[in-house]
């Protein structure tokens, strides 16, 4: 298994509170991604990073921000959580364009 | 609308039957990948196809990339209960933005 650790794995939070999900990799891969997975929509890209401090938006970036201060860590922040952000969040890594993407085990977030 | 459309969305078959899952798009991709996901886990890569018209086989699974690199198919021969899962296709765009289809949920009954 690729060395990807997501934390927390499960979280319940209240609407309006900030939430940060952490992804840590031990593979020294350049690219890191945050996806959300919802029934009927599959995996949708939120943000991705192609290097330290280099990030870009995906298709569903509104309401989310990211930071990558070290190669191994990619943080996803919900500044003010809403119920529509209840989802399963997956972190992923890859070595480059078209390379295999390896996924973490997911973080289940419920916003009540 | 999804950039990649997968069909069927759900498929329930008996052990030993054959099946084909489709992944279609109007966009051209530099490569296309197929993943399988088990409940409570992240997707795991099955195969990557890169060349238009390419066919790859993985035991009882056959993957094909369309000539125009816009679509792909996954064919499973003599399905087994262990093949049960969510099958996802993903297309890599030229900026390394990987887009996923919504998936096909396959159930193989013993």
């Amino acid at each position: 298994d690729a060395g990807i650790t997501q934390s927390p794995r499960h979280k319940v939070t209240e609407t309006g509170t900030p939430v940060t999900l952490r992804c840590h990799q031990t593979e020294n891969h350049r690219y890191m991604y945050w996806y959300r997975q919802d029934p009927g929509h599959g995996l949708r890209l939120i943000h991705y990073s192609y290097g330290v401090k280099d990030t870009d938006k995906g298709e569903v970036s509104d309401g989310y921000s990211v930071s990558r201060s070290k190669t191994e860590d990619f943080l996803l922040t919900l500044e003010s959580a809403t119920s529509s952000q209840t989802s399963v969040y997956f972190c992923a890594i890859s070595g480059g364009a078209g390379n295999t993407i390896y996924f973490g085990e997911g973080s289940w977030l419920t916003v009540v | 609308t999804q950039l990649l459309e997968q069909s069927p969305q759900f498929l329930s078959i008996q052990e030993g039957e054959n099946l084909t899952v489709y992944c279609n798009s109007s966009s051209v991709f530099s490569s296309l990948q197929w993943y399988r996901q088990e409940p409570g886990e992240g997707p795991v890569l099955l195969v990557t196809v890169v060349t238009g018209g390419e066919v790859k086989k993985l035991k009882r699974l056959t993957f094909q990339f369309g000539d125009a690199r816009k679509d792909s198919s996954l064919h499973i021969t003599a399905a087994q209960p262990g093949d049960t899962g969510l099958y996802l296709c993903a297309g890599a765009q030229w900026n390394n933005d990987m887009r996923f289809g919504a998936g096909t949920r396959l159930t193989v009954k013993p």
Side-chain angles (χ1 to χ4, degrees), chain B residues 26-45:
Chain B
S26 57
S27 298
V28 176
F29 297 103
S30 60
S31 67
L32 195 138
Q33 300 178 344
W34 284 93
Y35 292 78
R36 185 168 73 197
Q37 185 177 16
E38 306 283 352
E41 299 180 4
V44 175
L45 180 70

Side-chain angles (χ1 to χ4, degrees), chain A residues 9 31 33 35 37 39-45 48 57-59 90 94 96-106 108, chain B residues 1-2 9 30-31 33 35 37 39-45 48 86 88 92-103:
Chain A
R9 294 291 315 281
Y31 287 84
Y33 310 81
Y35 287 89
Q37 187 173 33
H41 292 280
L43 285 155
R44 291 181 292 175
L45 182 66
Y48 68 100
K57 296 179 179 180
E59 59 184 305
F90 286 98
S94 79
N99 285 18
T100 299
I101 292 185
Y102 299 96
F103 285 86
E105 294 183 321
W108 274 254
Chain B
T1 57
Q2 298 274 149
Q9 187 176 359
S30 60
S31 67
Q33 300 178 344
Y35 292 78
Q37 185 177 16
E41 299 180 4
V44 175
L45 180 70
T48 299
L86 179 66
L88 297 159
Q93 299 189 294
W94 304 103
N95 61 354
N96 199 41
D97 184 350
M98 183 73 76
R99 296 297 182 97
F100 284 77

